[in-house]
Amino acid sequence: MNTTEVLNTPGYYYAIAYALSVLVITCTNERKIGRWKLAAVSCVQFALLLFFMTATDGVRRELFLPSMVVIVGLILGGIYICNDFSPREAGFYCVKAFINGEFAASLCWQIYYYMTNARGMHGEFWRWAELIVVYAVIFTILALIELSLKKDLEEIHITRRELLVVIIIATSVFAMSNLSYLDQDGLFSGSFVMDIFIIRTLVDLSGIAVLYAYHVQVKEIQIRFEKDTLRNIMEMQYKNYQLSKENIDMVNQKYHDLKHQINLLKTQSYAQAGKSTSYLEKMEREIRVYETQNKTGNLILDAVLTNKALLCQNKEIELKFIVDGGALSFMEDMDVSALFGNMLDNAIESAQKQQEKQKRLIWLYVTREKQFVRIRTENYCDEKIQFKNGMPVTTKKDRRLHGYGMKSIKSTVEKYNGSVVAAQENNWFELKILLPAAM
């Protein structure tokens, strides 16, 4: 092989590397298509990459960058079609897949060059054997790294700034790794074949390290943001329910005083020639809404239920519950307010969408069964709900700023080593929680 042939890594090396890199990203993240469609899309994408890379193999320098734009477009299209990503998230993973593919192809070709020139291992057998082994090792490691990044945070949300950062990193890496290929006499170019190989491979490897380090940083920032947001929401809910409890106690006192005064007026009206008391009875019915009958055995839960019962009445929703509040004695007050507040808020939000009033119904159950506490909410819901890992997915556009109700529920349940699962059957949505009761 002459110098030009050595430097020009065969197009099919890159086509295979890019296709495998996309497959790693696709298989380690949430997909929006099934296995058969994924296989079909992957085959079509690989065929297009192979055709284009073969057709443009050794292309003139003027067409090099436009060709790379087409390749990046094919990678981006494959990721966006297969995965449940926003355009920014697809762009973020496309950048990673591109640099991963560049590194894999560069290292594989460098090893083959070393085998043929230093070890005398010529022939197609050794070429394909080396390619299969090297790619298997590289993409297995990358798949394990991608899976490890899914821990603690199932879904990462990418901002414009974060996408711009990874594009700048990838562009810089690609430019530096290909300087010697485009201009062998440049200031930062290598003079010898192995020098050029080492520069290209190490720069690509450095690019992978920087991109994954940045991915970890973005993930940690998002985890910290979610934890801070959940904590602030829980504290705010708890303070609101504490204030609500104080207001309820005061309103109850005023209600009982007013009820006694109405009874006294009714008695006086009867005594005065049998005057009609219908207006007093109407007044009594109207103020009866402020009488609290929620005595579950847990003061915070009483405040939550009373608050939500008043809200349900204003929205013409029927809230029914069978609750053993004493079974929740092992839980902290803030956790009780967060758990039941979010459960009922979600149920109310769903129930109020029903046009027929008889379908605006919510059930809440809290029971102790041996060494466990079972918690369940049910509400009618004719809207088709999407689930992910047994939990409903928010339908709001900005998922980064929504869905904290369910995240709070899951976080609280996990704190007590419990389990939570949601399901929808026959237009009834059900959220079930199982907690080990403290002995």
Side-chain angles (χ1 to χ4, degrees):
M1 291 184 291
N2 58 41
T3 303
T4 303
E5 290 175 335
V6 169
L7 292 179
N8 185 24
T9 305
Y12 65 87
Y13 270 62
Y14 283 109
I16 297 172
Y18 292 144
L20 289 174
S21 189
V22 171
L23 192 62
V24 166
I25 296 297
T26 301
C27 293
T28 55
N29 290 277
E30 186 72 16
R31 299 196 306 268
K32 60 183 176 184
I33 60 175
R35 293 181 179 178
W36 291 108
K37 288 185 178 179
L38 171 62
V41 172
S42 298
C43 289
V44 171
Q45 182 194 42
F46 174 66
L48 291 173
L49 284 169
L50 184 60
F51 171 78
F52 187 78
M53 294 298 299
T54 303
T56 58
D57 200 6
V59 71
R60 298 197 312 271
R61 294 179 184 180
E62 295 80 9
L63 299 176
F64 179 74
L65 288 180
S67 298
M68 298 311 301
V69 171
V70 174
I71 293 168
V72 171
L74 290 172
I75 295 173
L76 177 62
I79 291 175
Y80 188 71
I81 290 172
C82 296
N83 290 100
D84 188 18
F85 288 150
S86 68
R88 285 198 294 265
E89 291 161 1
F92 179 85
Y93 282 101
C94 171
V95 169
K96 291 176 60 180
F98 176 71
I99 296 299
N100 290 346
E102 285 281 308
F103 167 73
S106 175
L107 178 61
C108 190
W109 185 244
Q110 179 179 346
I111 293 174
Y112 176 69
Y113 173 79
Y114 173 79
M115 289 170 54
T116 55
N117 286 271
R119 299 295 180 182
M121 302 169 68
H122 300 278
E124 290 298 311
F125 171 79
W126 292 112
R127 172 184 291 208
W128 286 102
E130 180 264 341
L131 184 147
I132 291 172
V133 171
V134 171
Y135 278 4
V137 172
I138 291 175
F139 290 107
T140 298
I141 293 173
L142 290 174
L144 292 175
I145 294 174
E146 287 292 335
L147 288 173
S148 69
L149 290 172
K150 303 297 290 182
K151 295 179 180 178
D152 303 322
L153 187 66
E154 296 179 355
E155 187 178 17
I156 189 169
H157 303 289
I158 303 300
T159 63
R160 292 180 181 177
R161 173 183 170 277
E162 291 161 351
L163 177 59
L164 180 61
V165 168
V166 296
I167 290 175
I168 292 174
I169 292 173
T171 303
S172 302
V173 169
F174 181 74
M176 291 298 298
S177 67
N178 284 275
L179 280 177
S180 295
Y181 169 71
L182 293 175
D183 184 8
Q184 298 177 32
D185 299 321
L187 178 63
F188 298 100
S189 302
S191 302
F192 302 99
V193 173
M194 285 307 296
D195 291 341
I196 296 173
F197 274 143
I198 292 171
I199 291 172
R200 183 189 301 179
T201 303
L202 290 182
V203 169
D204 286 339
L205 180 60
S206 300
I208 290 177
V210 172
L211 286 174
Y212 276 100
Y214 186 68
H215 190 152
V216 171
Q217 183 184 34
V218 171
K219 171 188 169 182
E220 290 178 349
I221 291 173
Q222 189 169 329
I223 290 175
R224 196 179 309 121
F225 173 79
E226 289 193 355
K227 287 183 176 179
D228 291 342
T229 302
L230 286 174
R231 184 173 60 252
N232 292 335
I233 290 174
M234 291 176 67
E235 290 177 354
M236 182 179 65
Q237 288 176 328
Y238 180 61
K239 291 178 181 178
N240 287 340
Y241 289 126
Q242 281 185 317
L243 181 61
S244 176
K245 182 179 178 300
E246 295 173 0
N247 291 337
I248 289 169
D249 291 339
M250 181 179 64
V251 169
N252 275 337
Q253 182 180 352
K254 297 297 182 182
Y255 163 75
H256 286 291
D257 291 343
L258 186 57
K259 185 172 69 172
H260 290 310
Q261 293 175 9
I262 291 175
N263 288 333
L264 179 61
L265 290 173
K266 287 167 65 176
T267 303
Q268 291 175 349
S269 297
Y270 277 121
Q272 296 176 2
K275 288 186 178 179
S276 173
T277 60
S278 59
Y279 73 98
L280 292 174
E281 293 171 351
K282 179 182 178 183
M283 183 185 300
E284 188 175 20
R285 286 194 300 271
E286 289 175 348
I287 68 170
R288 194 169 293 161
V289 65
Y290 298 104
E291 182 178 22
T292 60
Q293 300 293 336
N294 303 324
K295 304 296 180 182
T296 66
N298 186 295
L299 295 178
I300 291 296
L301 184 55
D302 292 345
V304 173
L305 291 177
T306 300
N307 183 285
K308 301 307 177 186
L310 292 172
L311 181 61
C312 285
Q313 188 165 30
N314 290 335
K315 296 179 178 294
E316 298 182 304
I317 298 172
E318 187 175 4
L319 173 61
K320 296 183 178 182
F321 47 85
I322 300 175
V323 173
D324 177 10
L328 304 173
S329 59
F330 64 93
M331 293 182 66
E332 296 179 11
D333 289 347
M334 187 179 298
D335 294 328
V336 172
S337 66
L339 180 62
F340 289 93
N342 284 310
M343 290 177 69
L344 291 173
D345 281 341
N346 290 336
I348 291 170
E349 182 180 357
S350 177
Q352 69 182 354
K353 296 178 182 178
Q354 304 304 317
Q355 299 297 324
E356 302 177 34
K357 292 183 180 180
Q358 63 269 25
K359 293 182 179 179
R360 298 179 187 174
L361 176 63
I362 299 173
W363 272 101
L364 170 66
Y365 302 91
V366 180
T367 58
R368 189 198 304 267
E369 296 183 12
K370 295 183 180 180
Q371 298 179 351
F372 295 92
V373 175
R374 292 186 179 275
I375 304 170
R376 186 170 87 251
T377 57
E378 298 176 359
N379 63 273
Y380 189 86
C381 178
D382 54 12
E383 178 184 2
K384 187 64 175 177
I385 298 177
Q386 294 182 346
F387 292 89
K388 180 179 179 181
N389 298 326
M391 295 295 285
V393 178
T394 179
T395 56
K396 298 183 174 78
K397 290 184 178 180
D398 193 345
R399 291 181 293 180
R400 188 173 188 176
L401 301 178
H402 295 96
Y404 281 102
M406 283 297 174
K407 289 179 181 178
S408 176
I409 291 171
K410 187 176 180 181
S411 174
T412 303
V413 171
E414 289 176 349
K415 177 180 178 180
Y416 294 95
N417 299 316
S419 61
V420 55
V421 64
Q424 186 180 27
E425 186 175 357
N426 297 327
N427 289 338
W428 277 91
F429 175 80
E430 186 178 51
L431 184 67
K432 294 186 290 186
I433 295 172
L434 183 66
L435 299 175
M439 302 300 292

